[in-house]
């Protein structure tokens, strides 16, 4: 493995970070987006208050490898299910989806059943997030 691969394990990957719904806090999403960029990914951040449809459309238009949903509002089950359904309906079911934010442990199996590739909690080290994404997107 080259030194570049070790330092920038997400080089060449395109990752969308989105804040669906009415959640008005995005500091964590921005921190993750910056860390993903530092790991070599091209990051598209959709900003606050985007609809599920807007996030999916940007993901398709930008040809992303993964969509990261940052959800603090407690509506993660519904929002994730709707995003996954819409990605599949639009022919982008192969796009990996990961979720971060305030996700209770008991909800994580349900999200994985929906097809979520990874769930990241607020207390997870950023290096762990990058390593798991690099594995998922290899």
């Amino acid at each position: 493995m080259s030194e570049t691969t070790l330092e920038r394990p997400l080089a060449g990957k395109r990752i969308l970070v989105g804040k669906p719904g009415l959640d008005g806090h995005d500091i964590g999403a921005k921190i993750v987006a910056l860390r993903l960029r530092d790991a070599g990914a091209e990051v598209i951040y959709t900003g606050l208050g985007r609809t599920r449809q807007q996030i999916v459309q940007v993901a398709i238009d930008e040809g992303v490898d993964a969509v990261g949903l940052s959800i603090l509002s407690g509506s993660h089950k519904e929002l994730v299910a709707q995003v996954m359904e819409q990605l599949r309906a639009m022919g982008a079911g192969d796009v990996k989806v990961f979720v971060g934010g305030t996700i209770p442990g008991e909800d994580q199996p349900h999200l994985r059943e929906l097809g979520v590739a990874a769930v990241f909690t607020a207390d997870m080290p950023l290096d762990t997030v990058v390593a798991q994404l690099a594995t998922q997107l290899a």
Side-chain angles (χ1 to χ4, degrees):
M1 194 175 288
S2 73
E3 184 176 336
T4 302
T5 305
L6 289 173
E7 292 174 11
R8 298 176 54 85
L10 295 174
K13 301 301 181 189
R14 295 173 56 82
I15 301 174
L16 181 145
V17 175
K19 292 287 300 176
L22 300 175
D23 186 350
H25 300 282
D26 68 345
I27 292 172
K30 288 179 178 177
I31 290 170
V32 169
L34 287 172
R35 182 62 183 100
L36 297 178
R37 184 204 62 195
D38 291 347
E42 181 178 345
V43 178
I44 299 98
Y45 176 60
T46 61
L48 289 169
R50 300 296 181 230
T51 66
R52 296 161 308 281
Q53 296 84 357
Q54 289 171 321
I55 290 170
V56 169
Q57 190 61 57
V58 171
I60 291 168
D61 291 347
E62 293 287 341
V64 301
D65 299 294
V67 171
L69 300 173
S70 173
I71 305 171
L72 302 172
S73 65
S75 57
H76 47 275
K77 288 183 185 178
E78 299 82 8
L79 291 171
V80 169
Q82 292 164 352
V83 167
M84 299 292 291
E85 179 181 318
Q86 190 147 18
L87 281 168
R88 290 182 188 113
M90 305 255 323
D94 59 333
V95 172
K96 301 277 186 189
V97 175
F98 63 95
V99 182
T102 52
I103 312 297
E106 63 267 16
D107 292 347
Q108 292 181 27
H110 173 75
L111 296 175
R112 292 190 195 287
E113 286 173 15
L114 292 174
V116 168
V119 178
F120 303 121
T121 58
D123 60 347
M124 189 172 286
L126 291 174
D127 288 343
T128 301
V129 172
V130 168
Q132 284 189 24
L133 285 177
T135 298
Q136 288 285 339
L137 298 177

